[in-house]
Amino acid sequence: MAKDALTKLEKSWIFYDVGNSAFTMLVSTIIPIYFKNTAAAAGVSDADSTAWWSYAISASTVLVAILGPILGTLADTRGYKKPLFSLFMMLGVLGCAGLSLPVGWVAFLAIFVIAKVGFSGSLIFYDSMLTDITEDERMDVVSSHGYAWGYIGSCIPFTASLLLILFADTIGLSTVTATVIAFLLNAGWWLMTTLPLLKQYKQKYGVEPPKHPLRESFSRLGHTLAGIRREKAIFLFLLAFFFYIDGVYTIIDMATSYGKDVGISDNNLLLALLLTQIVAFPCVILFGKLSKRFPAHKLVACCIGGYFFIACFAIQLDKAWEFWFLAVCVAVFQGAIQSLSRSYFARIIPKEKSSEYFGFFDIFGKGAAFVGSLMMGVSTQLSGSSRTGVILIAVMFVAGFFLFRTAIRQAQTERKL
């Protein structure tokens, strides 16, 4: 096998990104359009439906943020990580399928929250598997491949869904029926692409099972909290991550809803975001290769700067071509900033506590998503315009950049880099 070739286990881990990214595409495109159209038919204004959408995202992130460290600590017990991963994966898959049920806009949001909790919860265990499935020197490349193939792989069910919706009339279906089929199609894709990982994965690092796993998990959680406060490099990185990933997640979750608010048509929104997935694939691979020549933290800093430009440009966005341009810019940095942040964090934490620490990683990430989407919702309702929230997101990138630089200096002092 060539030195840089992916192992069978690494490929099976990457394949899960191909599956769950299909749900991410739905959340960024079809689901909010379907929800906003359903809400509009029920007499809900555009500003209010955008706000309610952001509140639903916030609710799901809060639930996962609360459960994350506890479940992560439990998953570090040998033999527990795969069952917990499977449980949350199935919750997400069944929730995605449940979106096809003929319910009102409020019940639809409730089902969406369940699906989002399953999706986000599974990622706690999935991300922490990175320490089990590869070596330190390969983490940047393998993590980048996960996001890259996730982007391009998710295009398969998304393109099928998009064609189904766009040509629904031609094949004798209503748009609603075509969208319902799309939800079921993506749920099936997600489940199918998970099977190789469930077959191949075995937990490598962890603690031996105690007599009372749940009670012991809370005890270990307390020790880790104290340890994070002492580990300044880890704490400062998590704080920086909170600020800059806030903008990233909010842009991912709210892009389609924001685009509709400023007058971009549904077809332009869907096609532009499909382009994002296609362009993101080579860009993530490129950043993975660049990580062999440049330190990952310099590449992350570059991505934060790129996202600040994106947020500033989005403030004045009101034309279809501008949304297309913005979609391409997001594609350049989106996967890179997430994959390199994940692999950077995996290198600086204790491997035997990877799920536990990734539980905190998820708290800071999901906490950021909660703050960002809540901030977007409240500012939109108070001002009557989505642009106010975008200005606040730009400020978060500035704060994240300076905190990240401080975290890197501390890591170099502690010789973690």
Side-chain angles (χ1 to χ4, degrees):
M1 181 181 292
K3 183 180 178 181
D4 293 332
L6 296 169
T7 66
K8 190 174 183 179
L9 179 57
E10 289 170 347
K11 289 177 181 177
S12 68
W13 182 83
I14 289 167
F15 211 42
Y16 182 68
D17 233 325
V18 173
N20 71 61
S21 292
F23 180 73
T24 302
M25 276 291 282
L26 286 182
V27 174
S28 301
T29 54
I30 294 174
I31 294 177
I33 290 174
Y34 182 80
F35 165 70
K36 285 182 74 70
N37 290 340
T38 302
V44 181
S45 70
D46 283 345
D48 282 342
S49 62
T50 295
W52 279 110
W53 177 249
S54 68
Y55 296 151
I57 293 171
S58 298
S60 65
T61 55
V62 167
L63 285 171
V64 176
I66 293 171
L67 293 173
I70 300 169
L71 293 171
T73 307
L74 189 62
D76 281 327
T77 304
R78 289 189 186 277
Y80 279 53
K81 190 178 293 188
K82 185 190 285 189
L84 285 169
F85 166 75
S86 302
L87 174 64
F88 276 82
M89 178 274 298
M90 284 305 303
L91 185 66
V93 168
L94 293 175
C96 181
L99 294 172
S100 63
L101 296 174
V103 295
W105 68 271
V106 176
F108 181 87
L109 275 185
I111 296 171
F112 168 72
V113 169
I114 293 171
K116 193 76 159 56
V117 167
F119 165 78
S120 300
S122 73
L123 293 183
I124 296 173
F125 314 112
Y126 171 70
D127 288 343
S128 70
M129 289 177 182
L130 186 59
T131 59
D132 293 316
I133 60 100
T134 193
E135 305 299 326
D136 281 8
E137 62 273 12
R138 292 176 58 82
M139 284 184 180
D140 288 332
V141 172
V142 174
S143 182
S144 296
H145 271 281
Y147 276 101
W149 287 104
Y151 285 130
I152 203 69
S154 66
C155 290
I156 298 172
F158 177 72
T159 301
S161 301
L162 187 58
L163 291 174
L164 192 64
I165 293 169
L166 292 178
F167 296 99
D169 290 339
T170 305
I171 58 178
L173 297 174
S174 68
T175 302
V176 171
T177 301
T179 305
V180 163
I181 295 172
F183 293 150
L184 294 172
L185 174 67
N186 281 269
W189 174 268
W190 187 356
L191 178 61
M192 181 189 71
T193 53
T194 308
L195 297 179
L197 181 59
L198 294 179
K199 182 180 179 180
Q200 295 288 330
Y201 175 74
K202 291 183 180 179
Q203 190 170 346
K204 184 177 178 181
Y205 297 100
V207 299
E208 295 304 318
K211 290 184 178 180
H212 305 285
L214 187 59
R215 186 190 309 169
E216 181 64 24
S217 294
F218 278 102
S219 176
R220 293 205 313 270
L221 185 59
H223 289 304
T224 300
L225 275 169
I228 286 178
R229 288 196 295 268
R230 290 192 299 269
E231 293 275 2
K232 291 184 179 179
I234 294 176
F235 177 74
L236 285 170
F237 169 75
L238 287 173
L239 192 60
F241 181 71
F242 173 87
F243 279 93
Y244 71 74
I245 211 67
D246 166 51
V248 175
Y249 286 162
T250 305
I251 287 172
I252 291 171
D253 288 334
M254 302 300 296
T256 304
S257 188
Y258 178 69
K260 280 185 71 69
D261 286 352
V262 297
I264 309 302
S265 70
D266 289 357
N267 285 357
N268 270 307
L269 288 171
L270 293 174
L271 292 172
L273 290 166
L274 175 59
L275 176 65
T276 300
Q277 301 296 103
I278 296 170
V279 174
F281 172 73
C283 290
V284 182
I285 295 293
L286 174 62
F287 272 94
K289 291 183 179 296
L290 288 174
S291 68
K292 296 178 180 179
R293 299 185 58 187
F294 304 98
H297 62 267
K298 289 187 176 180
L299 297 176
V300 172
C302 173
C303 291
I304 297 172
Y307 258 106
F308 174 72
F309 163 77
I310 289 168
C312 290
F313 185 83
I315 294 169
Q316 56 78 54
L317 186 150
D318 61 359
K319 298 179 180 66
W321 76 263
E322 291 176 335
F323 191 86
W324 282 79
F325 173 72
L326 206 62
V328 172
C329 291
V330 168
V332 173
F333 300 109
Q334 180 174 295
I337 197 169
Q338 293 180 88
S339 66
L340 294 173
S341 295
R342 177 171 64 185
S343 56
Y344 173 85
F345 187 69
R347 276 199 301 274
I348 65 174
I349 61 173
K351 289 183 174 57
E352 70 280 2
K353 296 182 178 181
S354 61
S355 292
E356 189 173 342
Y357 272 83
F358 268 102
F360 286 102
F361 183 80
D362 195 74
I363 271 194
F364 281 80
K366 295 300 182 292
F370 166 74
V371 171
S373 55
L374 182 64
M375 182 174 63
M376 190 84 175
V378 172
S379 63
T380 297
Q381 282 195 313
L382 290 177
S383 67
S385 171
S386 307
R387 300 182 194 277
T388 308
V390 178
I391 295 172
L392 296 176
I393 289 170
V395 174
M396 298 291 271
F397 280 120
V398 174
F401 178 81
F402 286 105
L403 282 168
F404 184 68
R405 286 173 60 89
T406 304
I408 296 305
R409 285 196 293 269
Q410 182 63 39
Q412 291 170 337
T413 300
E414 296 177 12
R415 297 185 177 180
K416 287 183 179 287
L417 293 180

